[in-house]
Amino acid sequence: MNKALQVASLALAMMASGYSAQAAAETKIAVVNVARILHEIPQSKAIESQLKAEFSGRISEMQRLESEGQSLAAKLKKDESFMSADERTKLQRRLAELQADFNLKGQALQEDQRRRFGEEQKKVFDKVQTAIDAIAKSQGYDLVLNGQAVVFGEGKLDITDQVIQQVSKSK
């Protein structure tokens, strides 16, 4: 009885593996390198330019604060021995105020830049995903894998260039 159970299990395993091999042979797979797409499409460069312009005023303000702080620190260091205690204290307080203002504005700027970049990047990524879906459906792919997770794949499986072309056409 035990022998019959083993034979039946072996037969089932062989049937299942034969079915899996047949299903795998019929599965059409593509690979796409999303990082390369995001790097090469014109929309990424447009985002960079747009955000640079959007934040240029605040960046200039940060540069002004930095320059003023450096000047004040240099003056304090250079003329420290010639200053009265009141003058030195006044300059040190102003330098501390500038440093605090610089830190606060710098942190806010970084957070806002990260948030805005994420918002814009999501819009672009949605276009990339739409292009991948459209290409996969039109060419009959059953599965599209992220190329960064694939150890080896034939070049003919890579649809990255097609996705770049399609996304580059859209605005």
Side-chain angles (χ1 to χ4, degrees):
M1 184 76 169
N2 195 13
K3 187 88 166 161
L5 187 59
Q6 287 178 341
V7 170
S9 296
L10 182 60
L12 278 173
M14 288 173 52
M15 286 183 356
S17 68
Y19 176 75
S20 297
Q22 182 182 7
E26 295 172 3
T27 302
K28 192 169 176 186
I29 299 172
V31 176
V32 66
N33 186 328
V34 177
R36 185 175 140 221
I37 293 168
L38 293 174
H39 179 72
E40 292 185 18
I41 57 175
Q43 288 90 335
S44 293
K45 292 167 186 70
I47 289 172
E48 186 178 318
S49 297
Q50 175 188 349
L51 294 179
K52 189 175 183 178
E54 187 176 322
F55 290 103
S56 66
R58 291 172 65 184
I59 292 170
S60 294
E61 171 67 10
M62 293 297 298
Q63 291 169 340
R64 184 194 66 75
L65 287 172
E66 181 180 29
S67 178
E68 187 178 342
Q70 288 173 346
S71 297
L72 205 56
K75 182 178 180 179
L76 188 61
K77 186 175 182 178
K78 180 182 172 191
D79 298 337
E80 186 173 17
S81 60
F82 302 112
M83 288 183 200
S84 68
D86 286 343
E87 287 177 311
R88 188 173 38 255
T89 302
K90 187 177 177 181
L91 283 177
Q92 288 172 337
R93 284 183 183 157
R94 177 66 184 138
L95 187 59
E97 287 172 6
L98 282 173
Q99 183 66 43
D101 195 27
F102 181 84
N103 290 341
L104 184 63
K105 287 182 178 181
Q107 183 178 3
L109 176 62
Q110 287 177 347
E111 289 170 2
D112 291 347
Q113 285 177 319
R114 260 193 305 273
R115 179 186 50 78
R116 284 290 293 125
F117 180 77
E119 290 170 357
E120 294 300 321
Q121 195 72 2
K122 183 185 179 326
K123 291 176 192 175
V124 170
F125 187 78
D126 288 346
K127 288 180 183 183
V128 169
Q129 187 62 53
T130 300
I132 291 169
D133 292 346
I135 290 168
K137 286 177 185 168
S138 72
Q139 295 182 13
Y141 288 107
D142 300 307
L143 178 66
V144 177
L145 300 172
N146 184 342
Q148 293 173 314
V150 175
V151 177
F152 174 79
E154 289 288 330
K156 65 183 180 183
L157 299 176
D158 193 341
I159 62 171
T160 302
D161 290 330
Q162 295 173 42
V163 175
I164 290 170
Q165 288 174 353
Q166 187 163 333
V167 174
S168 295
K169 291 177 188 174
S170 71
K171 290 294 173 182

